[in-house]
Amino acid sequence: MTMRVVTHPDQFMPNWRIIMFSMGKLLLSMQDSMARRSGMTPNELLIYVTVNVANTQKLMRERSIPREFFATSVLPREWVVPISRNAIASATGLPRETVRRQVGKMIEQGLLVEDPRGGVTPPVGVLQNLAVASIVETLVSEFARAADAMMRVGVLEAKLE
């Protein structure tokens, strides 16, 4: 048996305020936690998170993620998907020129690197070099609070399958 979290869409509208507060607080906590520890502006943080999500999408689509990639081990480059500046602009809604400038600045700071295949990625070993433990702990705690609030009103439910 496995535990899964399921949603109950019929409970969304009756609990809209609780859902939006919980999700909004989660977003703000994530932005605050990451910005405070990294010193990034909101636009830089949005770009950085977008690049990281894009770069790990191939791995995360796998039905069975190899156990050695659950934590912070360096991903083989064939698992890392670079993202173009145009794709970052499309994904974030930021103007292309803003993305171009910010990405250039982030490359100079060593936060991103040009990928030989085109686009940008974080530098190899970025997770090992950042103090991610405290950021992740804060984010997971806030996520748990949001999930708990939504479970109390029946929007989310944990089910054994």
Side-chain angles (χ1 to χ4, degrees):
M1 282 193 155
T2 60
M3 181 73 73
R4 285 187 34 142
V5 175
V6 296
T7 60
H8 294 288
D10 59 315
Q11 292 299 313
F12 288 8
M13 286 313 293
N15 296 291
W16 186 87
R17 183 166 285 117
I18 291 167
I19 294 168
M20 292 309 296
F21 172 81
S22 299
M23 297 306 293
K25 190 162 180 345
L26 177 60
L27 175 66
L28 293 172
S29 293
M30 179 179 158
Q31 198 278 327
D32 179 62
S33 244
M34 295 177 79
R36 201 168 346 110
R37 287 173 179 84
S38 70
M40 290 184 209
T41 67
N43 281 351
E44 288 172 327
L45 189 56
L46 182 58
I47 290 167
Y48 192 71
V49 170
T50 301
V51 170
N52 279 278
V53 168
N55 288 184
T56 56
Q57 67 184 333
K58 183 176 180 181
L59 176 68
M60 297 310 292
R61 284 190 195 132
E62 288 295 309
R63 277 206 170 294
S64 177
I65 298 171
R67 185 79 185 150
E68 65 268 22
F69 300 138
F70 275 29
T72 60
S73 61
V74 174
L75 286 179
R77 294 320 276 172
E78 64 267 14
W79 284 98
V80 176
V81 180
I83 184 170
S84 71
R85 287 157 181 80
N86 283 341
I88 294 168
S90 293
T92 62
L94 293 171
R96 284 182 168 79
E97 183 56 28
T98 298
V99 170
R100 187 193 64 73
R101 269 194 322 274
Q102 294 289 350
V103 166
K105 185 174 148 187
M106 294 168 82
I107 289 171
E108 287 175 16
Q109 295 170 333
L111 295 168
L112 298 176
V113 295
E114 293 280 358
D115 191 280
R117 299 169 289 180
V120 293
T121 66
V124 173
V126 71
L127 286 179
Q128 295 75 10
N129 298 329
L130 294 176
V132 294
S134 61
I135 294 172
V136 170
E137 185 177 337
T138 300
L139 297 179
V140 171
S141 294
E142 192 59 46
F143 174 78
R145 281 191 284 279
D148 184 59
M150 288 186 269
M151 289 177 86
R152 280 190 308 239
V153 296
V155 172
L156 296 178
E157 177 186 7
K159 289 182 99 173
L160 280 176
E161 293 185 343

